[in-house]
Amino acid sequence: MTDVKDLLIRGSEKVIAHYRLLLASAKTEKERELYLSRIEREQRLLDQLQGSLPGRIAA
């Protein structure tokens, strides 16, 4: 079961990294808001997978 959990964690980390790249190149405020909300959502999922406290910010 840990292999699946590790796979999900790595996947979430990759998704967050991808959205951060998109955020850096966002051209409008609407795009920035969209990417930030998706990063926050994915971070909450990642925190749940890792058993962390809510609100933790990934480095």
Side-chain angles (χ1 to χ4, degrees), residues 17-58:
H18 179 72
Y19 279 128
R20 285 187 176 153
L21 287 173
L22 291 172
L23 178 62
S25 64
K27 292 179 176 61
T28 66
E29 186 61 30
K30 187 173 182 174
E31 278 184 297
R32 282 187 277 282
E33 290 173 6
L34 175 67
Y35 297 141
L36 280 171
S37 70
R38 290 183 180 180
I39 289 168
E40 291 169 358
R41 180 184 64 197
E42 195 66 34
Q43 185 62 55
R44 283 191 302 271
L45 295 171
L46 180 59
D47 288 342
Q48 289 176 353
L49 284 169
Q50 294 175 330
S52 301
L53 294 173
R56 180 184 156 273
I57 299 174

Side-chain angles (χ1 to χ4, degrees), residues 5-22:
K5 187 175 178 181
D6 290 342
L7 180 67
L8 291 172
I9 288 170
R10 284 194 312 273
S12 286
E13 290 169 343
K14 285 183 178 185
V15 168
I16 290 169
H18 179 72
Y19 279 128
R20 285 187 176 153
L21 287 173
L22 291 172

